Amino acid sequence: VWFIEQLKPLLLPRTLNSAPEILPQDSHLIAVMFIDLDRFKVINDSLGHIVGDHLLASVGERLGQNIRTQDGLARFGGDEFAVLLRRLPNREDAFLVASRLVQSFQKPFEVQGHTFSLGISIGIVFGHKDYQVPEDILRDADLAMYQAKYRGGNCYTVFEEVMRPQAMQRLQLEQDLRQAITAEQLCLYYQPIWSLTDHTITGFESLLRWHHPDRGWISPAQFIVIAEETGFIHQLGWWAIEQAVTQFYRWQKTYPAASSLSLNINISAHQIKDRQFPQRFAKLITELDLDGRCLNLEITETSFLETAQYYPENFAFLRKLGVEICIDDFGVGYSSLSRLHRLQVDTIKIDRSFVMDIDVDPQKKAITGTIITLAHQLGAQIIAEGIESEAQQTHLINLKCPFGQGFYLAKPLPVDAASNLIATL
């Protein structure tokens, strides 16, 4: 309420004159920042609200230390904050403040014996003649903040008009996604994983696909994010797991060669946070009489680091089933090679961004080689993602990478095509 009351007199007078589209870059320019903490919920859920509240107090203090004395700061519930920048000389000054705020969160927080590393996502809106009520400028700052999150977080984004229709499209996509399972629009494709040394198939990765009746194929990068934000990921993710594991069971019963294959299944950090997930997974494979050692659960590097610290018992339970943990997209998260020995994983997938340039970029080749060497020393398996040429495959073989997948080897296959391939093994 205080923040809105502070904002009102700065907006209303400007709607009564013929100001240009963006207010002049003078002492009357204002901006609003909407700030959300990255990865705060996992801390709150695992350590409790008391620790979370103390952390929020420390966050508020740090934000206040990095804005100007004439600016305003308020908490908007949960882990969201808003900053009012008054009397800006120009737009660039707002960017300097935002950069300073993001940089200030590079230093970890020490709260009640715990050390926390947090990032922040910031949405910025500048004063505009069309903003007649504070709620409108806060709405657009919120939209810009979500764009910052979509870009990976720990950054700031300036609001653009195109974000409003994008938000409406996103809302419609969310509603359509909730109907996709019952409408039988979802399916799984299976991409082979190959031994690079003898060119044999060692397993498959199950990949979720959505064919929208009006929009055609929709990238998982679009709808998985929506599912995670809305909580629908639990229903969607479990549907995909049941489909994949049941299909793998059918293959093992039908084709003798399938007994030597493994199946990689992608899971979300939100699923790992569910205390009931490991028991539910155990019940599924027990009912099918599947050996857990033929199943690998893939989780992205960032998600694994987010959850392993606070939900170690869930990973431990899954390992007791024989299930292996595979880190997907390794190399692009916020870990470093020096932390690789502490990840306690069975398999590491080198991100395609390194593989795609391995034959032309010496630095990426060096990084890839280092990851492979470390993984071998730690007893972890290595899979290279996104192999799209013979040259890339040759470089990986020379670096002693044992396994790989990518379009050069085989594209993801619908279930019938994957079945036919298994039948030939």
Side-chain angles (χ1 to χ4, degrees), residues 173 185 209-219 222-223:
L173 199 63
Q185 298 168 10
R209 295 291 184 259
W210 179 18
H211 190 269
H212 191 281
D214 300 319
R215 300 176 58 176
W217 292 104
I218 297 178
S219 168
Q222 288 182 270
F223 68 83

Side-chain angles (χ1 to χ4, degrees), residues 77-372:
D79 59 341
E80 295 178 331
F81 294 80
V83 173
L84 172 60
L85 302 178
R86 300 183 177 94
R87 299 188 298 278
L88 287 168
N90 52 59
R91 291 161 61 91
E92 284 67 30
D93 277 50
F95 304 149
L96 290 174
V97 174
S99 297
R100 186 164 63 245
L101 290 174
V102 170
Q103 185 64 33
S104 72
F105 276 70
Q106 298 302 309
K107 179 183 177 182
F109 290 84
E110 303 288 341
V111 177
Q112 294 194 333
H114 301 280
T115 300
F116 303 108
S117 295
L118 291 173
I120 54 175
S121 297
I122 304 176
I124 305 175
V125 175
F126 290 97
H128 189 288
K129 66 181 180 66
D130 291 333
Y131 288 123
Q132 299 188 23
V133 292
E135 288 77 8
D136 290 346
I137 197 169
L138 287 169
R139 173 203 62 206
D140 289 348
D142 190 35
L143 288 176
M145 180 272 292
Y146 273 104
Q147 285 295 320
K149 278 193 173 295
Y150 302 153
R151 294 171 184 175
N154 207 33
C155 64
Y156 66 85
T157 300
V158 179
F159 173 77
E160 299 174 3
E161 291 291 334
V162 70
M163 293 179 185
R164 288 198 196 118
Q166 288 175 344
M168 293 303 298
Q169 293 174 5
R170 187 179 175 83
L171 178 60
Q172 183 62 53
L173 199 63
E174 175 190 334
Q175 295 170 348
D176 292 346
L177 180 59
R178 293 186 180 276
Q179 305 298 322
I181 293 179
T182 55
E184 298 183 348
Q185 298 168 10
L186 295 167
C187 65
L188 293 180
Y189 273 50
Y190 298 87
Q191 184 169 30
I193 299 172
W194 297 77
S195 167
L196 299 182
T197 54
D198 58 16
H199 203 67
T200 58
I201 295 175
T202 62
F204 289 85
E205 178 187 357
S206 62
L207 300 166
L208 185 59
R209 295 291 184 259
W210 179 18
H211 190 269
H212 191 281
D214 300 319
R215 300 176 58 176
W217 292 104
I218 297 178
S219 168
Q222 288 182 270
F223 68 83
I224 293 298
V225 172
I226 295 175
E228 289 180 335
E229 290 180 354
T230 59
F232 187 61
I233 190 63
H234 294 285
Q235 181 181 347
L236 180 64
W238 187 251
W239 180 88
I241 288 173
E242 282 188 315
Q243 294 291 311
V245 172
T246 302
Q247 182 57 55
F248 193 64
Y249 165 79
R250 293 191 187 115
W251 283 335
Q252 289 200 336
K253 291 299 181 183
T254 307
Y255 307 108
S259 61
S260 63
L261 300 177
S262 62
L263 178 66
N264 287 32
I265 305 170
N266 291 282
I267 59 171
S268 164
H270 295 263
Q271 292 172 276
I272 285 292
K273 294 174 189 177
D274 182 356
R275 303 285 185 182
Q276 302 304 313
F277 175 79
Q279 291 80 6
R280 194 177 182 187
F281 190 84
K283 183 174 183 291
L284 174 63
I285 64 174
T286 299
E287 289 175 348
L288 294 173
D289 194 26
L290 269 178
D291 187 345
R293 290 174 295 181
C294 65
L295 300 174
N296 303 318
L297 294 182
E298 288 196 22
I299 184 169
T300 64
E301 176 189 7
T302 302
S303 295
F304 178 78
L305 293 170
E306 177 185 320
T307 54
Q309 180 179 358
Y310 304 110
Y311 301 88
E313 67 281 2
N314 285 6
F315 287 102
F317 187 100
L318 291 167
R319 285 196 174 95
K320 286 181 181 178
L321 299 174
V323 175
E324 295 193 349
I325 305 300
C326 175
I327 300 301
D328 195 13
D329 301 336
F330 187 84
V332 296
Y334 55 86
S335 72
S336 64
L337 292 177
S338 63
R339 298 178 63 183
L340 186 56
H341 71 284
R342 289 183 284 175
L343 294 183
Q344 297 183 345
V345 297
D346 304 292
T347 304
I348 292 169
K349 277 193 168 183
I350 303 173
D351 187 72
R352 66 183 63 249
S353 63
F354 295 103
V355 174
M356 68 185 296
D357 295 326
I358 195 172
D359 53 336
V360 294
D361 189 331
Q363 287 187 327
K364 290 190 176 180
K365 181 179 179 180
I367 293 172
T368 301
T370 302
I371 295 173
I372 293 170

